[in-house]
Amino acid sequence: MIDDKEQINYIETLLASDDYQTIVLQLQNIEHIYQQVSKAELIDSSWHQSSELTNGIGISPNDAMRCFQGTSRTAKYLKAVYQQVKRLIKQYPDRPVELVYAGCGPWGSLITPLLVMFKPQQLQVTFIDVHSTSLNSLKQIVNALQCELLVSNYVNLDATQYLHAKEIDLIVTETLYNGLHSEGIVSIIRHLARQLSEKGDVIPKRIVIDAHLIDMKSELKLLNSFDHALGQVPTKRQLLENRVFLGNMFELSKDVLAVIDAHQMNEKPSDNLPCKALFIPDINDEQHFALSTCLYLTDEIVLDEYENGITYPLCMSLSRQYIGKQVLFKYQCITPVGFIQQG
C-alpha cells in the first residue's frame, strides 16, 4: 500500500513547480514507489516484447515503463492532464469525467500519479493497452494507490478497435515516435476522437510537423552547448540559425481529422492522409531534409524540440530530383507507418 499523503505531496510539488531539478526529484520519488509495487511483473517473458499492429507497433511494456524517465515529457503531460480534468469537472459537475488512456503501459504514467487528487464521482478512467502484462502491472499500482474506484475498466485491446460505452470527455495518449513514424497515434486519435463528447478534448491537443533543411553538424554543436541535465534546450530562434524552414507539412488534431473525415465521407476509405506540398530549394552537402515535431499538449503547455526523444528531428532521404520542384507527401496510417513521398 502506498502512503497517499506522501504521493499527494510528490504530485502537488511537481504540479506547482517549474524548476527542472525539483520536478526530477518528484518523478524519481514516484518511480521508486512504482518500481517496488510492480517489481513482480519484471519476470514475465512478455515484458520485453513489442507487438506488430495494423496501424503501427505497440512498444513493449519495458519500453513503455522507461518512458516515465523522460522528465519534461512526463511532467508536462501530467500538468496538461490535471488542467484538463479540472476544466472538465467544472463543465460536467453532475457526473464523472470519462477519460480514456490509450497505450497506458505498465504504469499508466501520465494518469496514475494524479489519481490521488480526484474522487470517483469526479473522474472515471479507462486504461487500454495491447499487452496484458502491462495491465496486470498497472492494476497492482492502482490497487496500491487505493484508487480502484476511479478506474472503470482495463481493456486489453488495440485502441483503434475500442468502442467506449459512453461519450469520451478526454483522450490521453503518447503512442508516438519523432516524425510520427512507426507508432499508431494518428489512427488511435482518429478513431477515438469520433467518440468525444461535445466539450471533450485530446491530449496532445495538436501535433505539428514542420519540414526543414538542417545543417546537423552545426545543430549538434549548438546542442552540446546546453546542459541537458538541467533541462536546457535551444530556442526555436536558435535552431533556425542552422535551418531552412520549408513549411508546415502536417498537423494532427481532432479538428483537422474531422475535416479529413468529412472530405473522405463519400470516398473509398483511405489509410493515407493528405499533407501539404513543399517546395525544395537547392540543398548543399551539409544539409539534411528533416521533420520537426512539436506537441501542444494544451494551448499553453508545449513539448518542444529536443525536450524528449519524441521531439527530436527525423532525418529522411530526399532525392535530388526534387530540387527546385514541389514534393508531395502522404501520411500512411498502416504499417509501415509514416510519411511517404508521392512525387
Side-chain angles (χ1 to χ4, degrees):
M1 188 178 296
I2 298 172
D3 185 332
D4 57 346
K5 291 183 180 178
E6 188 177 58
Q7 182 78 1
I8 289 171
N9 178 63
Y10 293 154
I11 193 62
E12 283 186 337
T13 302
L14 185 153
L15 293 172
S17 180
D18 291 321
D19 177 70
Y20 190 80
Q21 292 301 312
T22 299
I23 292 170
V24 168
L25 177 60
Q26 303 317 311
L27 289 177
Q28 287 176 342
N29 288 334
I30 295 170
E31 181 180 12
H32 176 72
I33 293 171
Y34 285 15
Q35 286 279 13
Q36 295 299 311
V37 172
S38 65
K39 186 168 57 177
E41 286 298 313
L42 296 175
I43 62 173
D44 192 298
S45 61
S46 64
W47 191 256
H48 297 277
Q49 296 175 2
S50 298
S51 295
E52 294 288 339
L53 308 173
T54 303
N55 300 102
I57 66 168
I59 65 172
S60 71
N62 183 67
D63 288 342
M65 177 188 69
R66 289 173 59 244
C67 288
F68 187 86
Q69 298 169 357
T71 300
S72 294
R73 165 256 188 206
T74 302
K76 288 189 173 184
Y77 255 97
L78 286 169
K79 291 181 179 184
V81 172
Y82 182 72
Q83 286 185 13
Q84 289 293 70
V85 171
K86 294 286 283 186
R87 176 186 70 82
L88 287 162
I89 287 172
K90 291 180 180 179
Q91 296 283 348
Y92 300 111
D94 299 325
R95 65 167 178 83
V97 171
E98 289 287 328
L99 188 155
V100 172
Y101 184 177
C104 58
W107 287 3
S109 306
L110 310 179
I111 299 292
T112 52
L114 299 169
L115 292 180
V116 292
M117 308 290 286
F118 299 104
K119 299 175 181 178
Q121 58 267 36
Q122 295 177 312
L123 176 66
Q124 286 294 301
V125 179
T126 295
F127 291 108
I128 307 174
D129 202 278
V130 73
H131 298 111
S132 60
T133 305
S134 284
L135 295 176
N136 292 337
S137 171
L138 180 55
K139 288 175 186 177
Q140 294 183 35
I141 289 172
V142 171
N143 291 345
L145 288 168
Q146 303 176 69
C147 290
E148 302 98 316
L149 295 180
L150 283 104
V151 179
S152 55
N153 206 0
Y154 298 90
V155 180
N156 183 200
L157 189 69
D158 178 346
T160 64
Q161 306 299 314
Y162 176 70
L163 295 175
H164 200 57
K166 305 175 182 178
E167 287 187 322
I168 302 170
D169 298 313
L170 187 60
I171 300 162
V172 178
T173 189
E174 194 268 275
T175 45
L176 76 152
Y177 286 123
N178 54 331
L180 299 180
H181 79 279
S182 299
E183 286 196 72
I185 191 169
V186 176
S187 296
I188 289 170
I189 291 178
R190 192 180 190 189
H191 173 69
L192 294 177
R194 295 165 179 159
Q195 305 175 53
L196 279 171
S197 61
E198 181 182 354
K199 299 171 184 175
D201 217 333
V202 183
I203 297 177
K205 189 180 185 72
R206 291 191 300 137
I207 301 177
V208 177
I209 305 294
D210 290 331
H212 305 264
L213 298 179
I214 301 180
D215 181 338
M216 291 304 300
K217 184 177 180 181
S218 297
E219 187 147 309
L220 289 173
K221 183 178 180 180
L222 172 66
L223 283 175
N224 289 334
S225 67
F226 289 84
D227 191 340
H228 301 291
L230 297 177
Q232 296 177 358
V233 294
T235 64
K236 287 183 181 293
R237 184 175 180 178
Q238 290 171 317
L239 290 172
L240 285 172
E241 292 176 2
N242 301 307
R243 298 179 174 187
V244 177
F245 176 66
L246 302 180
N248 170 250
M249 193 166 80
F250 184 78
E251 182 173 316
L252 175 64
S253 70
K254 67 173 184 177
D255 294 333
V256 169
L257 290 174
V259 171
I260 292 174
D261 281 349
H263 179 70
Q264 295 182 344
M265 186 181 299
N266 298 318
E267 301 177 8
K268 182 179 178 180
S270 174
D271 290 312
N272 300 322
L273 302 184
C275 302
K276 296 177 183 176
L278 303 171
F279 177 79
I280 308 300
D282 192 22
I283 303 175
N284 65 44
D285 292 338
E286 302 298 324
Q287 291 175 322
H288 296 79
F289 178 77
L291 304 181
S292 65
T293 306
C294 184
L295 275 68
Y296 291 80
L297 302 178
T298 67
D299 290 330
E300 298 81 23
I301 302 175
V302 182
L303 189 67
D304 222 325
E305 285 195 77
Y306 289 110
E307 289 197 273
N308 187 264
I310 61 177
T311 59
Y312 274 50
L314 175 67
C315 291
M316 299 179 64
S317 61
L318 184 69
S319 173
R320 295 191 68 84
Q321 69 176 337
Y322 295 118
I323 292 176
K325 301 178 182 178
Q326 279 197 335
V327 59
L328 187 63
F329 287 79
K330 63 181 179 180
Y331 185 82
Q332 181 168 289
C333 294
I334 59 173
T335 303
V337 169
F339 293 98
I340 299 174
Q341 293 172 213
Q342 289 186 285

